[in-house]
Amino acid sequence: MRTIAVINLKGGVAKTITSNSVAYILASQGNRVLLVDNDKQGDASRGLNRRTQDGEGIDRIMTARHPEDWMNKLIKHTDFEGLDVLPANMRLLSANQEVMLDQTRPQQFRIRDALECVKDQYDFCIIDNAPDINVSTINALTACDDVLIPVEIDDNTTEGLPELVRQIGYTKEDLNKDLENFWIFITKYDRRNEAQAQGLEMIQAAGYPMLQTKIRYSRKVSESTYARIPIPLYSPRSLAAKDYEDLVNEYITAVCMKCAKEGGED
């Protein structure tokens, strides 16, 4: 199972739209996919129509001593073949506080240990995260192979990026040697906007690893959130849907090329 964390410390950059879209596309390609909602807002769960106000989900995984007793009970099937979700809601807030106070066992490996219990059931796991560096986010970084960082170009484009990149590096060095890649990609892109073109040049000049696919702005995206249907299914001919298809294909190609290169070097 390959695990992808979708993270940005800035809100409103389409993290959840990205998580749900990537998960749905991978499932539609015949993969078995688990989407982990790792944000107390529960938007990824809501987007798949599986959020509850008080039901257990990722909060229980963060606090359970034996996640193998819980994972298959908490994971929910969605309406989309091959796509399951581990939901979240506001219970995650108190669960994180409990983890921070728990000095009896490591705090950073709760999600990793839980995913280990179901790794043979899925081909991919997508973890949607809150715009924050908290114990849940660190758990996601500790559990993942790759990080996707959606970035919206505006007057605060790089806000939080240096800190997030540092945290990814620290996590790889100290906690997760298997964290292989991170890539930035652009969301809500309008090529006719000169300010966005300038912002893109600024990001490229910073030297961050980037995927070339840009997710173009589409009003269909907001419509899909109300319908609780992933944008690639809600409006497959929309610009954003087509771009997310390209993003997934570019990601898979990038991973395969790196694996092939590293295999050739051995």
Side-chain angles (χ1 to χ4, degrees):
M1 180 176 74
R2 193 163 191 97
T3 300
I4 308 164
V6 180
I7 304 178
N8 191 321
L9 302 188
K10 183 181 176 187
V13 298
K15 290 186 300 297
T16 298
I17 292 292
T18 295
S19 296
N20 286 19
S21 297
V22 170
Y24 173 80
I25 291 168
L26 288 169
S28 70
Q29 292 176 345
N31 297 292
R32 301 165 299 169
V33 181
L34 174 64
L35 175 64
V36 174
D37 192 341
N38 196 33
D39 184 347
K40 66 182 183 297
Q41 299 294 334
D43 288 340
S45 309
R46 183 187 293 109
L48 297 175
N49 211 26
R50 291 299 181 270
R51 183 180 185 271
T52 63
Q53 293 295 329
D54 55 4
E56 292 183 315
I58 187 68
D59 59 291
R60 172 58 68 179
I61 294 307
M62 289 296 291
T63 58
R65 185 169 289 273
H66 298 287
E68 66 275 10
D69 296 336
W70 289 95
M71 280 296 279
N72 286 313
K73 297 177 183 178
L74 296 172
I75 291 171
K76 298 179 181 295
H77 298 305
T78 71
D79 297 329
F80 313 110
E81 185 175 357
L83 178 55
D84 295 342
V85 60
L86 178 61
N89 54 37
M90 284 294 175
R91 294 170 64 113
L92 182 57
L93 182 61
S94 58
N96 281 345
Q97 293 171 345
E98 182 177 335
V99 172
M100 294 299 295
L101 294 173
D102 182 2
Q103 302 298 318
T104 64
R105 57 196 179 100
Q107 300 172 345
Q108 304 98 331
F109 303 106
R110 310 292 175 91
I111 291 178
R112 186 200 68 179
D113 292 346
L115 293 180
E116 186 72 17
C117 301
V118 297
K119 67 178 183 179
D120 294 332
Q121 299 178 34
Y122 298 98
D123 301 300
F124 289 94
C125 174
I126 314 298
I127 308 178
D128 184 50
N129 293 276
D132 191 11
I133 289 291
N134 57 30
V135 69
S136 285
T137 311
I138 297 300
N139 266 260
L141 290 175
T142 304
C144 72
D145 301 293
D146 308 303
V147 180
L148 294 180
I149 306 173
V151 171
E152 179 185 5
I153 299 176
D154 58 19
D155 59 341
N156 292 310
T157 294
T158 59
E159 180 181 358
L161 268 181
E163 177 58 33
L164 177 56
V165 171
R166 278 194 296 271
Q167 191 62 61
I168 291 171
Y170 295 154
T171 302
K172 179 177 176 61
E173 182 178 351
D174 299 333
L175 301 169
N176 182 9
K177 304 298 183 185
D178 294 328
L179 202 170
E180 296 184 19
N181 312 290
F182 76 90
W183 290 287
I184 290 168
F185 66 97
I186 305 302
T187 61
K188 306 181 185 179
Y189 186 65
D190 181 359
R191 61 182 176 82
R192 298 166 298 181
N193 187 322
E194 181 61 29
Q196 290 207 352
Q198 294 174 0
L200 177 59
E201 291 178 0
M202 179 179 65
I203 294 174
Q204 292 170 330
Y208 295 116
M210 291 189 67
L211 296 176
Q212 296 306 305
T213 303
K214 304 173 188 65
I215 311 301
R216 288 169 288 181
Y217 172 79
S218 172
R219 62 181 178 82
K220 292 293 184 180
V221 170
S222 60
E223 292 178 13
S224 73
T225 62
Y226 285 101
R228 299 186 181 181
I229 299 173
I231 183 63
L233 177 62
Y234 178 80
S235 182
R237 299 179 64 182
S238 66
L239 297 176
K242 293 176 181 178
D243 292 339
Y244 273 118
E245 292 274 0
D246 290 342
L247 181 78
V248 169
N249 291 332
E250 184 182 0
Y251 161 76
I252 291 174
T253 299
V255 169
C256 291
M257 288 180 63
K258 183 168 184 180
C259 290
K261 181 180 178 181
E262 292 176 349
E265 292 173 349
D266 291 338

